[in-house]
Amino acid sequence: MAQIHTHDVIVVGAGGAGLMAAIGAHEAGVDVALVSKLHPVRSHTGAAEGGINAALRSGDSWDLHAQDTMKGSDYLGDAPAVETLCRDAPEDVMQLEHWGMPFSREEDGTVSQRPFGGLSFPRTTYAGAETGHHLLHTLYQQVVKRGIRVYDEWFVTRLAVTDEENPTDRVCHGVVGYDIATGELAGFHATGGVVIATGGPGQVYDHTTNAVSCTGDGAAMAYRVGVPLQDMEFVQFHPTTLPSTGVLISEGVRGEGGILYNSEGERFMFEHGYAANSGELASRDVVSRAELTEIAAGRGIEDEYVHLDMRHLGEERITDRLENILHLAEDFEGVDGLEEPMPVKPGQHYEMGGIETDENGATCIDGLYAAGECACVSVHGANRLGGNALPELIVFGKRAGLAAAGADLGAARIDTGRTHRAEPCDSELPEAAGGQAEPEVVTDGGTTEPTNVVEAAIADEKDRIDRLKRRDSDLHHSDLRNRIQRTMTDNVNVFRTEAGIRAALDEIRDVRAAYADVSVKDPSSTFNTDLIQTIETRNVIDIAETIALGALAREEFRGAHWREQFQERDDDEWLKHTFVSWDDGQPSLWYKPAILEGEAGRYEPKERSY
Ligand SMILES: Cc1cc2nc3c(=O)[nH]c(=O)nc-3n(C[C@H](O)[C@H](O)[C@H](O)COP(=O)(O)OP(=O)(O)OC[C@H]3O[C@@H](n4cnc5c(N)ncnc54)[C@H](O)[C@@H]3O)c2cc1C
């Protein structure tokens, strides 16, 4: 019989959001454990470079931050979530400071803040160009200090959720984990709640700033037990990634004064009128489209990229504030940023959508919470502002941990699940042809005993893994993952056409059907990356389908979602969130209006220019 580890709160994922959720739950006085497929400090948060937004200075305020965020979101952020983020961020950033986070400082000792795209005030605090690395280490020290149990290199493969017909009647009692070192399957039973904090799904694309571990596992697992995924079509493409690898060159370079040039030496953001006021510091969606427009007009370099130049900032300032960028440009592109401009082009960077939650991290399933990039609370709407993901991790990670531990955070204003505000989808979308599965939920054997639910989930999972290992076929997960990455990069990128999205959807569904024949060649029990990546690939397929479906249905141009035939933002029809549910054996789309009513009135949608 498989072992079951019991804790009050189980946090899946140990990046910024997961560590903060565990600290929050611990502060509420419960027994909390972290379960993570990577060691915590190897989590992808460690790659974050540029900084954390928080209104800390006189002249700035949380409501200015909220206005910038609502505008950046193209008015698809929900005001209660945006206001919570902006109001809580200053205190939470100061808490990091008190825990020893080594923020960069001015001569007088105050914490430095730099300008970032789409911000009306320089409010991005940072630790050199390694902010995420220091954030992870600061939080992990707190986890160690508090004696929080960490199950690292445990890969969570599914949730243990009851099988009532209506997802909002289901209960999550824990998760199933696979010990990467031994191949052992075990259950993690949460008597209080499970927090999913598994990060983004960048591996859906082949040119991405995200690590190979970013396969959207938590979002796909939640989707398969009936939690809707929200606004998945809004994918951020960062304008400054290195062409050969997708490695990020931080927005901090432009924040410090870095300039973008085309092949004719023009400062195109200004000279071609893409952002007459903010230039390089326009919002990311604006700059990415500008670069690709320049390249398509024949003004790119080698028809592929543009130049980002920081030489004029001088060696002292660059090594003080952007030293890491010099190493990245040298190591991955062979370019000396002190002597030459750096080649850059847009690359997939961030998923604005994710698991639908309220401001307290709760999903529509009892006992199941989510925070961080895998969640959609929603603060980023149609476009995330740079520097707004890290405060989201700490603010909503903590809130989700507290809520899972039973702390009273007050009633949430955002409703989850198909409430009375839900609207049907009228678009004609291609039906999936077969190959669909029932929701991944389990009966509790007619008893109300939660551990039975966990045991049933372990048994299902054991069968699935045995089947993958026993199957005799030549089909390898990498063929399928490559097909998804190729079609998403070709067809559901910065510029989107109906024909392209339909082609992607056809390909995704072919791949889904083919997955039924995939096999794992490596029979071993220790560090079986073949098995792990095969399971991750299923998650990549599910996530790709939700992105493509949302993108096909949304017939407007909002934030990061550009459609060839629909060149205007359409507030009459589309001021609403997309939801994709897997609650009837098929993906189905529906909508809920965005919540624009804030504490001091409505955030009235305005033209979004920079
Ligand atoms: C290169 C780069 C630079 C960035 N710079 C900035 C910046 O300067 N400012 C900003 O605001 N944002 C930035 N972002 C965005 C931000 O860093 C991320 O959105 C954020 O760090 C994600 O944190 P997370 O905790 O949600 O996920 P992650 O840090 O990715 O952590 C996910 C965790 O989940 C675990 N996990 C995943 N799947 C499983 C599973 N199946 N079982 C068990 N464990 C699992 C992993 O082991 C990991 O511990 C940047 C992003 C990138 C890619």
PDB file of all heavy atoms in Angstrom, residues 13-17 36-38 43-45 47-51 154-156 197-199 209-210 217 248 349-350 373 387 389-390 393, ligand 1:
ATOM      1  N   GLY A  13       4.599  23.190  -5.386  1.00  0.00           N
ATOM      2  CA  GLY A  13       5.419  24.197  -6.065  1.00  0.00           C
ATOM      3  C   GLY A  13       6.121  25.063  -5.040  1.00  0.00           C
ATOM      4  O   GLY A  13       5.515  25.492  -4.056  1.00  0.00           O
ATOM      5  N   ALA A  14       7.415  25.289  -5.279  1.00  0.00           N
ATOM      6  CA  ALA A  14       8.219  26.034  -4.300  1.00  0.00           C
ATOM      7  C   ALA A  14       8.986  27.170  -4.959  1.00  0.00           C
ATOM      8  O   ALA A  14      10.128  27.454  -4.632  1.00  0.00           O
ATOM      9  CB  ALA A  14       9.177  25.067  -3.595  1.00  0.00           C
ATOM     10  N   GLY A  15       8.327  27.842  -5.943  1.00  0.00           N
ATOM     11  CA  GLY A  15       8.847  29.105  -6.457  1.00  0.00           C
ATOM     12  C   GLY A  15       8.397  30.223  -5.512  1.00  0.00           C
ATOM     13  O   GLY A  15       7.989  29.966  -4.373  1.00  0.00           O
ATOM     14  N   GLY A  16       8.436  31.452  -6.010  1.00  0.00           N
ATOM     15  CA  GLY A  16       8.054  32.578  -5.146  1.00  0.00           C
ATOM     16  C   GLY A  16       6.667  32.411  -4.557  1.00  0.00           C
ATOM     17  O   GLY A  16       6.446  32.638  -3.358  1.00  0.00           O
ATOM     18  N   ALA A  17       5.702  31.987  -5.380  1.00  0.00           N
ATOM     19  CA  ALA A  17       4.322  31.877  -4.887  1.00  0.00           C
ATOM     20  C   ALA A  17       4.188  30.758  -3.865  1.00  0.00           C
ATOM     21  O   ALA A  17       3.541  30.920  -2.819  1.00  0.00           O
ATOM     22  CB  ALA A  17       3.368  31.642  -6.056  1.00  0.00           C
ATOM     23  N   SER A  36       7.595  19.725  -4.334  1.00  0.00           N
ATOM     24  CA  SER A  36       8.081  20.405  -5.529  1.00  0.00           C
ATOM     25  C   SER A  36       8.924  19.483  -6.402  1.00  0.00           C
ATOM     26  O   SER A  36       9.752  18.725  -5.895  1.00  0.00           O
ATOM     27  CB  SER A  36       8.933  21.611  -5.112  1.00  0.00           C
ATOM     28  OG  SER A  36       9.513  22.209  -6.244  1.00  0.00           O
ATOM     29  N   LYS A  37       8.733  19.599  -7.726  1.00  0.00           N
ATOM     30  CA  LYS A  37       9.519  18.726  -8.610  1.00  0.00           C
ATOM     31  C   LYS A  37      10.969  19.191  -8.707  1.00  0.00           C
ATOM     32  O   LYS A  37      11.839  18.424  -9.092  1.00  0.00           O
ATOM     33  CB  LYS A  37       8.866  18.585  -9.987  1.00  0.00           C
ATOM     34  CG  LYS A  37       8.841  19.801 -10.888  1.00  0.00           C
ATOM     35  CD  LYS A  37       8.130  19.469 -12.214  1.00  0.00           C
ATOM     36  CE  LYS A  37       8.052  20.685 -13.116  1.00  0.00           C
ATOM     37  NZ  LYS A  37       7.330  20.429 -14.379  1.00  0.00           N
ATOM     38  N   LEU A  38      11.217  20.457  -8.348  1.00  0.00           N
ATOM     39  CA  LEU A  38      12.587  20.970  -8.305  1.00  0.00           C
ATOM     40  C   LEU A  38      12.930  21.323  -6.862  1.00  0.00           C
ATOM     41  O   LEU A  38      12.031  21.607  -6.065  1.00  0.00           O
ATOM     42  CB  LEU A  38      12.709  22.262  -9.116  1.00  0.00           C
ATOM     43  CG  LEU A  38      12.288  22.221 -10.584  1.00  0.00           C
ATOM     44  CD1 LEU A  38      12.328  23.634 -11.163  1.00  0.00           C
ATOM     45  CD2 LEU A  38      13.211  21.308 -11.384  1.00  0.00           C
ATOM     46  N   SER A  43      13.722  26.836  -8.695  1.00  0.00           N
ATOM     47  CA  SER A  43      12.448  27.202  -9.317  1.00  0.00           C
ATOM     48  C   SER A  43      12.655  28.363 -10.281  1.00  0.00           C
ATOM     49  O   SER A  43      13.600  29.142 -10.147  1.00  0.00           O
ATOM     50  CB  SER A  43      11.435  27.622  -8.252  1.00  0.00           C
ATOM     51  OG  SER A  43      11.242  26.556  -7.355  1.00  0.00           O
ATOM     52  N   HIS A  44      11.720  28.496 -11.217  1.00  0.00           N
ATOM     53  CA  HIS A  44      11.950  29.462 -12.283  1.00  0.00           C
ATOM     54  C   HIS A  44      11.900  30.913 -11.821  1.00  0.00           C
ATOM     55  O   HIS A  44      12.424  31.808 -12.505  1.00  0.00           O
ATOM     56  CB  HIS A  44      10.977  29.221 -13.435  1.00  0.00           C
ATOM     57  CG  HIS A  44      11.474  29.847 -14.687  1.00  0.00           C
ATOM     58  ND1 HIS A  44      12.716  29.554 -15.211  1.00  0.00           N
ATOM     59  CD2 HIS A  44      10.945  30.792 -15.485  1.00  0.00           C
ATOM     60  CE1 HIS A  44      12.913  30.276 -16.291  1.00  0.00           C
ATOM     61  NE2 HIS A  44      11.855  31.039 -16.478  1.00  0.00           N
ATOM     62  N   THR A  45      11.312  31.168 -10.666  1.00  0.00           N
ATOM     63  CA  THR A  45      11.352  32.530 -10.120  1.00  0.00           C
ATOM     64  C   THR A  45      12.795  33.040 -10.068  1.00  0.00           C
ATOM     65  O   THR A  45      13.039  34.245 -10.200  1.00  0.00           O
ATOM     66  CB  THR A  45      10.725  32.544  -8.704  1.00  0.00           C
ATOM     67  OG1 THR A  45       9.344  32.221  -8.811  1.00  0.00           O
ATOM     68  CG2 THR A  45      10.854  33.899  -8.029  1.00  0.00           C
ATOM     69  N   ALA A  47      14.926  33.055 -12.184  1.00  0.00           N
ATOM     70  CA  ALA A  47      15.366  33.688 -13.440  1.00  0.00           C
ATOM     71  C   ALA A  47      14.908  35.136 -13.541  1.00  0.00           C
ATOM     72  O   ALA A  47      15.341  35.861 -14.441  1.00  0.00           O
ATOM     73  CB  ALA A  47      14.834  32.901 -14.630  1.00  0.00           C
ATOM     74  N   ALA A  48      13.997  35.551 -12.653  1.00  0.00           N
ATOM     75  CA  ALA A  48      13.464  36.915 -12.760  1.00  0.00           C
ATOM     76  C   ALA A  48      14.599  37.914 -12.582  1.00  0.00           C
ATOM     77  O   ALA A  48      15.429  37.777 -11.693  1.00  0.00           O
ATOM     78  CB  ALA A  48      12.367  37.143 -11.736  1.00  0.00           C
ATOM     79  N   GLU A  49      14.605  38.908 -13.439  1.00  0.00           N
ATOM     80  CA  GLU A  49      15.746  39.811 -13.465  1.00  0.00           C
ATOM     81  C   GLU A  49      15.390  41.211 -12.962  1.00  0.00           C
ATOM     82  O   GLU A  49      15.990  41.752 -12.048  1.00  0.00           O
ATOM     83  CB  GLU A  49      16.285  39.900 -14.908  1.00  0.00           C
ATOM     84  CG  GLU A  49      16.772  38.550 -15.443  1.00  0.00           C
ATOM     85  CD  GLU A  49      17.095  38.572 -16.936  1.00  0.00           C
ATOM     86  OE1 GLU A  49      17.046  39.645 -17.565  1.00  0.00           O
ATOM     87  OE2 GLU A  49      17.389  37.480 -17.474  1.00  0.00           O
ATOM     88  N   GLY A  50      14.369  41.806 -13.584  1.00  0.00           N
ATOM     89  CA  GLY A  50      14.196  43.260 -13.513  1.00  0.00           C
ATOM     90  C   GLY A  50      13.704  43.846 -12.217  1.00  0.00           C
ATOM     91  O   GLY A  50      14.199  44.871 -11.770  1.00  0.00           O
ATOM     92  N   GLY A  51      12.687  43.256 -11.556  1.00  0.00           N
ATOM     93  CA  GLY A  51      12.266  43.848 -10.300  1.00  0.00           C
ATOM     94  C   GLY A  51      10.825  43.629  -9.910  1.00  0.00           C
ATOM     95  O   GLY A  51      10.074  42.914 -10.566  1.00  0.00           O
ATOM     96  N   TRP A 154       9.818  15.783  -5.786  1.00  0.00           N
ATOM     97  CA  TRP A 154       8.573  15.017  -5.848  1.00  0.00           C
ATOM     98  C   TRP A 154       7.720  15.673  -6.927  1.00  0.00           C
ATOM     99  O   TRP A 154       7.383  16.851  -6.831  1.00  0.00           O
ATOM    100  CB  TRP A 154       7.823  15.049  -4.515  1.00  0.00           C
ATOM    101  CG  TRP A 154       8.308  14.037  -3.526  1.00  0.00           C
ATOM    102  CD1 TRP A 154       9.353  14.167  -2.667  1.00  0.00           C
ATOM    103  CD2 TRP A 154       7.741  12.739  -3.287  1.00  0.00           C
ATOM    104  NE1 TRP A 154       9.482  13.035  -1.907  1.00  0.00           N
ATOM    105  CE2 TRP A 154       8.504  12.131  -2.263  1.00  0.00           C
ATOM    106  CE3 TRP A 154       6.659  12.031  -3.832  1.00  0.00           C
ATOM    107  CZ2 TRP A 154       8.223  10.856  -1.781  1.00  0.00           C
ATOM    108  CZ3 TRP A 154       6.384  10.761  -3.348  1.00  0.00           C
ATOM    109  CH2 TRP A 154       7.167  10.180  -2.333  1.00  0.00           C
ATOM    110  N   PHE A 155       7.360  14.895  -7.924  1.00  0.00           N
ATOM    111  CA  PHE A 155       6.598  15.389  -9.076  1.00  0.00           C
ATOM    112  C   PHE A 155       5.121  15.080  -8.842  1.00  0.00           C
ATOM    113  O   PHE A 155       4.746  13.905  -8.750  1.00  0.00           O
ATOM    114  CB  PHE A 155       7.147  14.672 -10.316  1.00  0.00           C
ATOM    115  CG  PHE A 155       6.432  14.947 -11.605  1.00  0.00           C
ATOM    116  CD1 PHE A 155       6.152  16.246 -12.008  1.00  0.00           C
ATOM    117  CD2 PHE A 155       6.062  13.907 -12.454  1.00  0.00           C
ATOM    118  CE1 PHE A 155       5.523  16.495 -13.214  1.00  0.00           C
ATOM    119  CE2 PHE A 155       5.434  14.141 -13.661  1.00  0.00           C
ATOM    120  CZ  PHE A 155       5.162  15.438 -14.039  1.00  0.00           C
ATOM    121  N   VAL A 156       4.311  16.116  -8.718  1.00  0.00           N
ATOM    122  CA  VAL A 156       2.874  15.890  -8.493  1.00  0.00           C
ATOM    123  C   VAL A 156       2.206  15.645  -9.839  1.00  0.00           C
ATOM    124  O   VAL A 156       2.361  16.436 -10.782  1.00  0.00           O
ATOM    125  CB  VAL A 156       2.250  17.084  -7.750  1.00  0.00           C
ATOM    126  CG1 VAL A 156       0.727  16.962  -7.698  1.00  0.00           C
ATOM    127  CG2 VAL A 156       2.820  17.159  -6.336  1.00  0.00           C
ATOM    128  N   ALA A 197       0.891  26.048  -6.879  1.00  0.00           N
ATOM    129  CA  ALA A 197       1.762  27.193  -7.184  1.00  0.00           C
ATOM    130  C   ALA A 197       2.863  26.705  -8.124  1.00  0.00           C
ATOM    131  O   ALA A 197       4.049  26.836  -7.848  1.00  0.00           O
ATOM    132  CB  ALA A 197       2.346  27.766  -5.891  1.00  0.00           C
ATOM    133  N   THR A 198       2.426  26.138  -9.251  1.00  0.00           N
ATOM    134  CA  THR A 198       3.355  25.400 -10.109  1.00  0.00           C
ATOM    135  C   THR A 198       3.911  26.209 -11.276  1.00  0.00           C
ATOM    136  O   THR A 198       4.584  25.644 -12.141  1.00  0.00           O
ATOM    137  CB  THR A 198       2.656  24.134 -10.658  1.00  0.00           C
ATOM    138  OG1 THR A 198       1.394  24.535 -11.182  1.00  0.00           O
ATOM    139  CG2 THR A 198       2.453  23.106  -9.579  1.00  0.00           C
ATOM    140  N   GLY A 199       3.635  27.520 -11.336  1.00  0.00           N
ATOM    141  CA  GLY A 199       4.267  28.358 -12.342  1.00  0.00           C
ATOM    142  C   GLY A 199       3.612  28.273 -13.707  1.00  0.00           C
ATOM    143  O   GLY A 199       2.523  27.707 -13.880  1.00  0.00           O
ATOM    144  N   THR A 209      11.266  32.404 -22.838  1.00  0.00           N
ATOM    145  CA  THR A 209      12.207  32.743 -21.762  1.00  0.00           C
ATOM    146  C   THR A 209      12.082  31.755 -20.602  1.00  0.00           C
ATOM    147  O   THR A 209      12.832  31.834 -19.637  1.00  0.00           O
ATOM    148  CB  THR A 209      11.897  34.141 -21.199  1.00  0.00           C
ATOM    149  OG1 THR A 209      10.566  34.125 -20.666  1.00  0.00           O
ATOM    150  CG2 THR A 209      12.004  35.219 -22.257  1.00  0.00           C
ATOM    151  N   ASN A 210      11.103  30.860 -20.679  1.00  0.00           N
ATOM    152  CA  ASN A 210      10.814  29.957 -19.548  1.00  0.00           C
ATOM    153  C   ASN A 210      11.675  28.693 -19.590  1.00  0.00           C
ATOM    154  O   ASN A 210      12.029  28.201 -20.659  1.00  0.00           O
ATOM    155  CB  ASN A 210       9.346  29.528 -19.586  1.00  0.00           C
ATOM    156  CG  ASN A 210       8.374  30.620 -19.167  1.00  0.00           C
ATOM    157  OD1 ASN A 210       7.248  30.338 -18.801  1.00  0.00           O
ATOM    158  ND2 ASN A 210       8.787  31.881 -19.214  1.00  0.00           N
ATOM    159  N   ASP A 217       1.867  22.298 -15.365  1.00  0.00           N
ATOM    160  CA  ASP A 217       1.305  21.090 -14.720  1.00  0.00           C
ATOM    161  C   ASP A 217       0.094  21.406 -13.837  1.00  0.00           C
ATOM    162  O   ASP A 217      -0.943  20.739 -13.929  1.00  0.00           O
ATOM    163  CB  ASP A 217       2.355  20.395 -13.839  1.00  0.00           C
ATOM    164  CG  ASP A 217       3.592  19.965 -14.602  1.00  0.00           C
ATOM    165  OD1 ASP A 217       3.602  20.085 -15.834  1.00  0.00           O
ATOM    166  OD2 ASP A 217       4.557  19.519 -13.949  1.00  0.00           O
ATOM    167  N   LEU A 248      16.158  35.769 -21.662  1.00  0.00           N
ATOM    168  CA  LEU A 248      15.634  37.127 -21.488  1.00  0.00           C
ATOM    169  C   LEU A 248      16.734  38.160 -21.277  1.00  0.00           C
ATOM    170  O   LEU A 248      17.674  37.935 -20.518  1.00  0.00           O
ATOM    171  CB  LEU A 248      14.718  37.157 -20.262  1.00  0.00           C
ATOM    172  CG  LEU A 248      14.090  38.526 -19.982  1.00  0.00           C
ATOM    173  CD1 LEU A 248      12.923  38.779 -20.911  1.00  0.00           C
ATOM    174  CD2 LEU A 248      13.634  38.641 -18.540  1.00  0.00           C
ATOM    175  N   HIS A 349       6.838  34.694 -22.898  1.00  0.00           N
ATOM    176  CA  HIS A 349       7.422  35.049 -21.604  1.00  0.00           C
ATOM    177  C   HIS A 349       6.518  34.730 -20.423  1.00  0.00           C
ATOM    178  O   HIS A 349       6.991  34.306 -19.374  1.00  0.00           O
ATOM    179  CB  HIS A 349       7.730  36.547 -21.623  1.00  0.00           C
ATOM    180  CG  HIS A 349       8.419  37.048 -20.393  1.00  0.00           C
ATOM    181  ND1 HIS A 349       9.619  36.542 -19.960  1.00  0.00           N
ATOM    182  CD2 HIS A 349       8.082  38.031 -19.516  1.00  0.00           C
ATOM    183  CE1 HIS A 349       9.990  37.184 -18.856  1.00  0.00           C
ATOM    184  NE2 HIS A 349       9.066  38.076 -18.562  1.00  0.00           N
ATOM    185  N   TYR A 350       5.216  34.933 -20.590  1.00  0.00           N
ATOM    186  CA  TYR A 350       4.341  34.874 -19.415  1.00  0.00           C
ATOM    187  C   TYR A 350       2.925  34.537 -19.854  1.00  0.00           C
ATOM    188  O   TYR A 350       2.465  34.988 -20.895  1.00  0.00           O
ATOM    189  CB  TYR A 350       4.355  36.239 -18.727  1.00  0.00           C
ATOM    190  CG  TYR A 350       3.610  36.266 -17.419  1.00  0.00           C
ATOM    191  CD1 TYR A 350       4.240  35.898 -16.232  1.00  0.00           C
ATOM    192  CD2 TYR A 350       2.269  36.642 -17.368  1.00  0.00           C
ATOM    193  CE1 TYR A 350       3.557  35.900 -15.032  1.00  0.00           C
ATOM    194  CE2 TYR A 350       1.577  36.649 -16.162  1.00  0.00           C
ATOM    195  CZ  TYR A 350       2.227  36.274 -15.000  1.00  0.00           C
ATOM    196  OH  TYR A 350       1.553  36.277 -13.810  1.00  0.00           O
ATOM    197  N   GLU A 373       2.005  32.340 -11.162  1.00  0.00           N
ATOM    198  CA  GLU A 373       1.738  32.389 -12.599  1.00  0.00           C
ATOM    199  C   GLU A 373       0.722  31.350 -13.050  1.00  0.00           C
ATOM    200  O   GLU A 373       0.049  31.538 -14.061  1.00  0.00           O
ATOM    201  CB  GLU A 373       3.050  32.250 -13.393  1.00  0.00           C
ATOM    202  CG  GLU A 373       2.825  32.548 -14.866  1.00  0.00           C
ATOM    203  CD  GLU A 373       4.090  32.621 -15.700  1.00  0.00           C
ATOM    204  OE1 GLU A 373       5.181  32.882 -15.139  1.00  0.00           O
ATOM    205  OE2 GLU A 373       3.983  32.425 -16.924  1.00  0.00           O
ATOM    206  N   GLY A 387       7.328  43.704 -13.923  1.00  0.00           N
ATOM    207  CA  GLY A 387       7.487  43.991 -12.496  1.00  0.00           C
ATOM    208  C   GLY A 387       6.230  43.741 -11.679  1.00  0.00           C
ATOM    209  O   GLY A 387       6.233  43.937 -10.460  1.00  0.00           O
ATOM    210  N   ALA A 389       4.574  40.682 -11.757  1.00  0.00           N
ATOM    211  CA  ALA A 389       4.388  39.256 -11.428  1.00  0.00           C
ATOM    212  C   ALA A 389       4.968  38.941 -10.056  1.00  0.00           C
ATOM    213  O   ALA A 389       4.369  38.196  -9.277  1.00  0.00           O
ATOM    214  CB  ALA A 389       5.040  38.362 -12.481  1.00  0.00           C
ATOM    215  N   LEU A 390       6.126  39.506  -9.757  1.00  0.00           N
ATOM    216  CA  LEU A 390       6.740  39.176  -8.459  1.00  0.00           C
ATOM    217  C   LEU A 390       5.893  39.673  -7.286  1.00  0.00           C
ATOM    218  O   LEU A 390       5.697  38.924  -6.317  1.00  0.00           O
ATOM    219  CB  LEU A 390       8.177  39.704  -8.397  1.00  0.00           C
ATOM    220  CG  LEU A 390       9.155  39.082  -9.421  1.00  0.00           C
ATOM    221  CD1 LEU A 390      10.580  39.614  -9.212  1.00  0.00           C
ATOM    222  CD2 LEU A 390       9.175  37.563  -9.347  1.00  0.00           C
ATOM    223  N   LEU A 393       3.200  37.217  -6.738  1.00  0.00           N
ATOM    224  CA  LEU A 393       3.593  35.995  -6.022  1.00  0.00           C
ATOM    225  C   LEU A 393       3.519  36.196  -4.520  1.00  0.00           C
ATOM    226  O   LEU A 393       2.993  35.352  -3.792  1.00  0.00           O
ATOM    227  CB  LEU A 393       5.037  35.590  -6.360  1.00  0.00           C
ATOM    228  CG  LEU A 393       5.453  35.404  -7.810  1.00  0.00           C
ATOM    229  CD1 LEU A 393       6.906  34.920  -7.872  1.00  0.00           C
ATOM    230  CD2 LEU A 393       4.533  34.430  -8.496  1.00  0.00           C
TER     231      LEU A 393
HETATM  232  C1  LIG B   1      13.406  35.138 -17.420  1.00  0.00           C
HETATM  233  C2  LIG B   1      12.267  35.740 -16.643  1.00  0.00           C
HETATM  234  C3  LIG B   1      12.425  36.954 -16.006  1.00  0.00           C
HETATM  235  C4  LIG B   1      11.378  37.514 -15.274  1.00  0.00           C
HETATM  236  N1  LIG B   1      11.567  38.707 -14.639  1.00  0.00           N
HETATM  237  C5  LIG B   1      10.553  39.233 -13.900  1.00  0.00           C
HETATM  238  C6  LIG B   1      10.734  40.445 -13.173  1.00  0.00           C
HETATM  239  O1  LIG B   1      11.794  41.045 -13.170  1.00  0.00           O
HETATM  240  N2  LIG B   1       9.683  40.928 -12.470  1.00  0.00           N
HETATM  241  C7  LIG B   1       8.465  40.304 -12.429  1.00  0.00           C
HETATM  242  O2  LIG B   1       7.566  40.795 -11.777  1.00  0.00           O
HETATM  243  N3  LIG B   1       8.295  39.124 -13.085  1.00  0.00           N
HETATM  244  C8  LIG B   1       9.293  38.579 -13.812  1.00  0.00           C
HETATM  245  N4  LIG B   1       9.095  37.397 -14.485  1.00  0.00           N
HETATM  246  C9  LIG B   1       7.865  36.631 -14.236  1.00  0.00           C
HETATM  247  C10 LIG B   1       7.978  35.909 -12.899  1.00  0.00           C
HETATM  248  O3  LIG B   1       9.323  35.680 -12.581  1.00  0.00           O
HETATM  249  C11 LIG B   1       7.248  34.558 -12.920  1.00  0.00           C
HETATM  250  O4  LIG B   1       5.944  34.735 -13.363  1.00  0.00           O
HETATM  251  C12 LIG B   1       7.222  33.988 -11.510  1.00  0.00           C
HETATM  252  O5  LIG B   1       8.520  33.909 -10.977  1.00  0.00           O
HETATM  253  C13 LIG B   1       6.559  32.625 -11.444  1.00  0.00           C
HETATM  254  O6  LIG B   1       6.635  32.206 -10.097  1.00  0.00           O
HETATM  255  P1  LIG B   1       5.798  30.980  -9.570  1.00  0.00           P
HETATM  256  O7  LIG B   1       6.117  30.834  -8.130  1.00  0.00           O
HETATM  257  O8  LIG B   1       4.399  31.128  -9.976  1.00  0.00           O
HETATM  258  O9  LIG B   1       6.403  29.750 -10.397  1.00  0.00           O
HETATM  259  P2  LIG B   1       7.885  29.150 -10.477  1.00  0.00           P
HETATM  260  O10 LIG B   1       8.910  30.042  -9.894  1.00  0.00           O
HETATM  261  O11 LIG B   1       8.067  28.708 -11.899  1.00  0.00           O
HETATM  262  O12 LIG B   1       7.804  27.904  -9.543  1.00  0.00           O
HETATM  263  C14 LIG B   1       7.032  26.782  -9.884  1.00  0.00           C
HETATM  264  C15 LIG B   1       7.279  25.724  -8.842  1.00  0.00           C
HETATM  265  O13 LIG B   1       6.376  24.669  -9.056  1.00  0.00           O
HETATM  266  C16 LIG B   1       7.066  23.447  -9.031  1.00  0.00           C
HETATM  267  N5  LIG B   1       6.311  22.525  -9.881  1.00  0.00           N
HETATM  268  C17 LIG B   1       5.882  22.710 -11.146  1.00  0.00           C
HETATM  269  N6  LIG B   1       5.200  21.636 -11.576  1.00  0.00           N
HETATM  270  C18 LIG B   1       5.200  20.761 -10.545  1.00  0.00           C
HETATM  271  C19 LIG B   1       4.680  19.470 -10.374  1.00  0.00           C
HETATM  272  N7  LIG B   1       4.012  18.840 -11.343  1.00  0.00           N
HETATM  273  N8  LIG B   1       4.881  18.851  -9.197  1.00  0.00           N
HETATM  274  C20 LIG B   1       5.575  19.442  -8.199  1.00  0.00           C
HETATM  275  N9  LIG B   1       6.092  20.672  -8.324  1.00  0.00           N
HETATM  276  C21 LIG B   1       5.903  21.312  -9.471  1.00  0.00           C
HETATM  277  C22 LIG B   1       8.454  23.755  -9.508  1.00  0.00           C
HETATM  278  O14 LIG B   1       9.355  22.801  -8.983  1.00  0.00           O
HETATM  279  C23 LIG B   1       8.668  25.126  -8.875  1.00  0.00           C
HETATM  280  O15 LIG B   1       9.123  24.979  -7.555  1.00  0.00           O
HETATM  281  C24 LIG B   1      10.135  36.848 -15.212  1.00  0.00           C
HETATM  282  C25 LIG B   1       9.974  35.625 -15.874  1.00  0.00           C
HETATM  283  C26 LIG B   1      11.017  35.070 -16.594  1.00  0.00           C
HETATM  284  C27 LIG B   1      10.800  33.791 -17.316  1.00  0.00           C
END
